[in-house]
Amino acid sequence: MAETYEGAVDRGLEGVVACTTGVSSIVDATLCYRGFKIEDLAAHSNYEEVVFLLWNDRLPTAAEYETFTQELWASQSLPVGLVETLKSLPHKGVHPMAWLRTATSLLALYDDQAQNDDDVSRKSVAMRLTAKLGTLVALLERIRQGKDYVQPNTDRSLAWNFLYMMIGAEPQSEFVKVLDTCLILHADHELNCSAFSARVTSSSLSDIYSAVVSAIGALKGPLHGGANEQVMLMLQKIGSVDGAKEWVTKALANKEKVMGFGHRVYKNGDPRAKILRGMSQELCEKSGKAEFYDMSKVIDDTVQAEKGLLPNVDFYSATVYNAMGIPTDLYTPIFAFSRVSGWLAHIFEQYANNRIYRPRGKWNGKENQVWKPRS
Ligand code: COA
């Protein structure tokens, strides 16, 4: 284990305030985007309006919303050449987040504004990335099923289109609403690991695509966005409500981490988990998967009782996505599809007040080594 030295923060920069930000804030158990409580946004807004809010620091007027959604929705389709290239890539045994990371990087090669550093080009790149990430994830699922790319309907929302492009048929309106709420809940989260990665990369004045690809790589890990997929795998492994308490107790006794619990910042609960718990209960019951919600509740109660840890955003989002029939390994790519809007807000903020991130490392390696020729 790395030692902690005076003046060095070896333990995940805990407690370090790395920058000022006006994008989102966490105070105790209250999460706000641009000063608006997440509960209000989840109840009254929609994802497109939230994206506008994150990028512009205010809600849109009706006319602005109209123009913004028109441009965003019109940007959902993929360049033909890119679709063909993506079809030719390996996908069997490839994690969808690895595929998405590569696909996003390839997308940059089809964007003639990718390297531009003026505000207008950057906003336009941001529109395309936000609009196309869901299309990429849906396309991956089509490719895996040996089916054709479905063109988005540019009159419909990102949530509607994601489900439409994935299943190739009109989605249920209830599922569209649920997915839209999930997109709102996942859109930003202060200086989380992936947003920080995006900011670090953009602080070298690298381009937006590079920063977003860095962020996708960070989100992929099981301690960050990858936890939602692990939650579902855990529930499937446990298999029944009866076995849940014993399974979790044993895991905790073995010092294993129970995915979807704990948080670096929230110590009194994640407000997103509360909203998702209600959604999970309703949706699991309606879709005949009540057992997954019941199992989750037993795990939730057990982890709280034994370890004092509360569920985070990933815990109940897993059963929400499962009840909607979304393949388990697409949960984290859907997180990326939403979170890209927050990453972009952070990237804009970084460019607007930039200084390259360049911390120091306190030396704890060998000293005075003398080179000798190989023997
Ligand atoms: N299951 C069991 N124990 C957990 C735990 C979990 N999910 N999360 C934290 N703990 C325990 C740690 O083992 C540690 O116990 P110890 O003091 O006995 O050693 C203590 O709680 C502090 O945890 P730590 O890992 O230092 O917290 P952190 O701030 O570094 O990490 C997370 C935060 C989110 C990475 C961590 O809680 C975790 O790994 N959770 C599971 C993955 C997850 O759900 N990630 C999504 C986050 S939104």
Side-chain angles (χ1 to χ4, degrees), residues 223-224 227 256-262 264 307 309 312 314:
L223 296 188
H224 188 14
E256 284 169 33
K257 283 209 166 156
V258 181
M259 289 294 141
F261 286 88
R264 172 64 62 77
K307 198 80 192 170
L309 291 168
N312 57 49
D314 292 311

Side-chain angles (χ1 to χ4, degrees), residues 350-361:
Q350 187 63 40
Y351 284 146
N353 181 24
N354 189 56
R355 190 151 191 237
I356 190 167
Y357 279 101
R358 205 308 185 186
R360 293 301 309 271

Side-chain angles (χ1 to χ4, degrees), residues 33 36-55 58-62 64-70 72-73 130 155-160 173 175-188 337-338 341:
Y33 296 167
F36 291 86
K37 282 200 180 116
I38 194 68
E39 291 84 355
D40 270 358
L41 294 172
H44 306 298
S45 187
N46 62 37
Y47 180 64
E48 281 76 358
E49 188 182 60
V50 164
V51 176
F52 184 100
L53 171 68
L54 288 170
W55 295 356
R58 63 177 175 80
L59 291 169
T61 62
E64 285 170 335
Y65 178 79
E66 193 65 27
T67 314
F68 184 75
T69 49
Q70 262 173 23
L72 192 63
W73 296 348
T130 303
D155 292 332
R156 307 304 288 261
S157 72
L158 300 192
W160 188 95
S173 53
F175 286 178
V176 174
K177 175 79 189 112
V178 167
L179 179 60
D180 193 71
T181 307
C182 290
L183 295 180
I184 293 173
L185 296 176
H186 287 83
D188 196 50
F337 157 36
S338 160
S341 58

